[in-house]
Amino acid sequence: MTTVQLQKTNQPPIKAPRGSYWITTFGCQMNKADSERMSGILEYMGYYPAEEELNADLVLYNTCTIRDSAEQKVYSYLGRQAIRKRSLPNLKIVVAGCLAQQEGESLLRRVPEIDLLMGPQHCNRLESLLNQVDSGQQVLATEEQFILEDITTPRRDSSICGWVNIIYGCNERCTYCVVPSVRGKEQSRTPEAIKSEVEDLAKSGYKEITLLGQNIDAYGRDFQSQNKEGSAQITLSYLLKFIHDIEGIERIRFATSHPRYFTRELIDTCSELPKVCEHFHIPFQSGSNKILKNMGRGYTIESYKNIINYIKAKIPQAAISGDAIVAFPGESQTDYEQTLSLIDQIKFDHVNTAAYSPRPNTPAASWPRQLNEDIKVKRLREINSLVENIAKERNQRYKNTSQEILIENINPKDSFQLMGRTRTNRLTFFPRSLENGVGNKLGELIKVKITDVRPFSLTAKLL
Ligand code: SAH
Ligand code: SF4
Ligand code: F3S
């Protein structure tokens, strides 16, 4: 399978103008990457970006259902569009993504104004699904689907950093999580298809790519279970080496890694490949072995620490981040304190935290010993403050050092500043005007000196 290019981003649409479109994306990077692909398809079909949501001829919500709060947000957005549609019958309402997959027909019953309800595995089929809508049908596309290679070019938000899906779906069964049921079975893209997408990005001037997958370090294992010839060697390490030398690409990142599949070989590979950035996002979820077992995570705190220690030994400057859930059913004060203690021992650069949210059709949602809202709020507040303090402490190591930054954008809050990230993924702001006349161009790699540190960002001056 290879990606055939029919149209380059920003070129005029091939087909006659059809109307304006608006996409709002909820959830994770996977959804953001899907939205970029669906934007590309819409523009290929002749849609053009609307100036605002409430003027668009086609509105697409790419939804998330990881926690209840994510779900509720979508319903309020949808309500507004349903009211609009009563006076504008030609308005098209599309609901894509994980909530669409989870709710299926019941969402159509709840909001009958929806024209197209499609799960994440159907993104690349948007054109044919919308053609069915145009022929007067209300369309539901949520059946399990082999994800086809897209033939259009995504319309990417950034012209410097690009996302590249390498594995779709998730084969784990964490007892709290909806992802496997909404994103389906793991499906790796072939190394050739991935390389061809990265080469196209490099030709269009992109400097950084982030490879994406729910459990990215499980890349390739579905090839092995299909017994494809030569598949045993196709792993994330193999892929990193396979795409590493593409000219023009300066930085390679990948997310999200699952501790169960994170091998020493992968760490060795990262330490050997100069373009692979020193940042590892490896969710741990809890610091208690009892809770990890109940979550069905398949590793222990000891094995997690072994991975981190090996990273720190091999790549001392590496930044480490993770995800954690507090107030999982049955989490005692001691279990919870073990999570705090793990964060303190590892000294994470960042941790995405959440209070446990019971999700439909997941085992943990029906367990006894659910914790009440007060405990959830208290634990979340405490853990967030610990994460912030440790991040600030960790950032002290940057002070007065020289760092390489890829200039990604103008600071939206201060047009006199540029922004970019260190190789370790720390957001860094620095002045736009230059005395020595170098730099100042988006997409350029420059050296800066860090002058000030905050918990989650840095300030620098140009060297
Ligand atoms: N595949 C990744 C995570 C994807 S989901 C992994 O296994 O690490 C992103 C994060 O959402 C998870 O890491 C977890 O911390 C959080 N999450 C998932 N389900 C949740 C739930 N029911 N309640 C609260 N947080 C949840
Ligand atoms: Fe969810 Fe677990 Fe899969 Fe991550 S590995 S997406 S937490 S089921
Ligand atoms: Fe949400 Fe789906 Fe991502 S549930 S977090 S958008 S995989």
Side-chain angles (χ1 to χ4, degrees), residues 66-67 176-177 179 214-215 256-258 283 285 297 323-325 354-357 359:
I66 200 83
R67 289 179 279 277
Y176 51 84
C177 186
V179 172
Q214 278 299 353
N215 296 311
T256 298
S257 303
H258 192 294
Q285 312 300 0
R297 292 288 291 176
D323 298 351
I325 298 176
Y356 169 70
S357 170
R359 305 312 294 133

Side-chain angles (χ1 to χ4, degrees), residues 373-421:
E373 213 39 46
D374 291 348
I375 298 189
K376 288 184 180 177
V377 170
K378 179 169 174 288
R379 291 186 180 172
L380 189 59
R381 203 182 302 132
E382 277 174 15
I383 196 176
N384 283 343
S385 118
L386 175 71
V387 167
E388 187 171 328
N389 289 339
I390 289 182
K392 183 150 191 212
E393 189 184 315
R394 280 285 286 159
N395 278 353
Q396 297 301 331
R397 76 188 191 282
Y398 293 115
K399 209 151 185 194
N400 295 322
T401 61
S402 148
Q403 297 289 328
E404 181 202 271
I405 307 287
L406 174 63
I407 310 180
E408 290 175 29
N409 222 330
I410 295 164
N411 179 357
K413 291 192 189 141
D414 177 355
S415 59
F416 291 102
Q417 278 191 334
L418 294 172
M419 56 193 255
R421 280 169 299 150

Side-chain angles (χ1 to χ4, degrees), residues 188-207:
S188 299
R189 290 175 70 201
T190 63
E192 291 73 24
I194 295 164
K195 189 176 197 179
S196 130
E197 184 171 348
V198 179
E199 282 168 346
D200 286 344
L201 285 170
K203 275 185 218 139
S204 313
Y206 283 78
K207 300 286 182 242

Side-chain angles (χ1 to χ4, degrees), residues 6-17:
L6 290 186
Q7 181 206 355
K8 281 277 175 214
T9 312
N10 300 333
Q11 280 181 354
I14 290 172
K15 300 189 179 162

Side-chain angles (χ1 to χ4, degrees), residues 213-226:
Q214 278 299 353
N215 296 311
I216 197 150
D217 38 354
Y219 173 74
R221 69 172 169 163
D222 48 321
F223 294 143
Q224 285 149 40
S225 56
Q226 292 159 23

Side-chain angles (χ1 to χ4, degrees), residues 98 105 111 124 169 174 187 202 244 271 294 308 400-401 432:
C98 298
E105 246 168 278
V111 189
N124 295 356
C174 302
Q187 185 192 321
H244 185 267
S271 75
N294 294 345
I308 304 297
N400 295 322
T401 61
R432 197 174 172 186

